[in-house]
Amino acid sequence: MTMTDRRTTSPREPVDIAAVTAADAAARILHVRQGVWVGYERAKQILARMDELLDHPPIDRMPNMLIVGPSNNGKTQILRRFLSKHPVDPNPKGDAAIIPAVMVGAPPTPDIGDLCVRILEAIHAPYKAVATAVERIRTVKKILGQTETRMLLIDDIQHMLTGGAMKQREFRNAIKDLANELKISIVGAGIDEAHIVFATDPQLSNRFHPEPLPLWRPGTELGRLLDTIERKLPLRAPSGLKTPELMQRIAFMTEGPIGEIYAVVSLAAISAIRDGSERITLESLDAINWTRPSERKARPSLK
């Protein structure tokens, strides 16, 4: 079987921040908007554990992981970072590319046939457009075996909660069967409700080790995160984001998810580049007119 290399969205390559800072305003704004990988301690711990799972020898009950945390708190970025660290080997002398890990988003309903199609499309593998769920599972098992895949990453795994109890049970059983037969590790990522997916099945709860990603609160760890983000911003004057005043204001505005934190800081940084101030201040944070996550969920007034 000949298989094409699969491409994935991966974090940007390391850049020379000094060179970017010396560039014009347009280039610096583009750099901020493209985003950066921030290697904070908790993410490093989870990535190290994922490396251990990838290197685990095949056994009957492979260990798995569940990355769980609030929305917009870095789960998907960790999965993509891991994928970028373990790229495809085109293996030109072999029959198929070697794909250490495959990442997919969970289907919106617990449909194992849909999940299989997502897996096959992620690795650009051929499949029949019309096929039963059983046939698709068989195809996935065959191809993942040929590509020597050792880990399956499933994002938004809380979608397993939708649908009826029977569909949920069938989906869980199919995932267990896939892991058992291929002897691969599965890493799921989802919001806090994902715990329910595994708590309802003792076999899954025993196999999936939870790795929580808590919200960020003012303190030493948030200070380190803000300091790391600031060092990656192409601003020409220091902002001191880890100072108590700025840290407290950012924590209040964002309510803790790392995605919200970067969004607020990046908007303030872009404003600082445009107006020539070159630093983030309490005033510039207020000027971006940010709406806190809890306020977005509030019902609008009908008056």
Side-chain angles (χ1 to χ4, degrees), residues 27-49:
R28 292 191 288 149
I29 290 173
L30 178 61
H31 173 84
V32 174
R33 285 177 170 168
Q34 286 176 327
V36 295
W37 165 253
V38 182
Y40 55 95
E41 188 60 32
R42 186 71 185 111
K44 292 177 182 177
Q45 293 171 356
I46 293 175
L47 287 168
R49 176 58 179 152

Side-chain angles (χ1 to χ4, degrees), residues 126-243:
Y127 65 91
K128 294 180 180 179
V130 179
T132 65
V134 172
E135 290 173 330
R136 287 175 175 170
I137 292 172
R138 188 180 301 122
T139 300
V140 165
K141 288 178 179 178
K142 176 182 178 181
I143 293 180
L144 292 189
Q146 292 171 331
T147 57
E148 302 180 28
T149 298
R150 290 171 285 152
M151 182 177 288
L152 175 61
L153 314 176
I154 305 177
D155 201 10
D156 290 322
I157 203 166
Q158 73 275 358
H159 290 168
M160 291 169 60
L161 283 170
T162 61
M166 181 175 295
K167 291 289 290 183
Q168 293 179 28
R169 184 167 58 252
E170 290 175 352
F171 193 81
R172 294 197 302 269
N173 288 339
I175 287 180
K176 284 186 290 186
D177 177 65
L178 195 64
N180 288 341
E181 186 160 332
L182 291 174
K183 292 182 170 55
I184 62 175
S185 290
I186 296 177
V187 175
I191 58 177
D192 294 333
E193 286 80 356
H195 277 303
I196 301 173
V197 175
F198 301 90
T200 55
D201 189 321
Q203 293 187 45
L204 283 178
S205 62
N206 291 336
R207 296 187 188 194
F208 281 78
H209 179 76
E211 293 286 357
L213 277 176
L215 292 172
W216 294 84
R217 304 300 184 192
T220 302
E221 291 302 315
L222 178 55
R224 290 174 181 167
L225 176 71
L226 291 173
D227 187 55
T228 301
I229 292 175
E230 181 173 346
R231 285 187 277 108
K232 293 176 179 289
L233 294 175
L235 294 177
R236 294 171 180 170
S239 300
L241 295 181
K242 67 178 181 181
T243 59

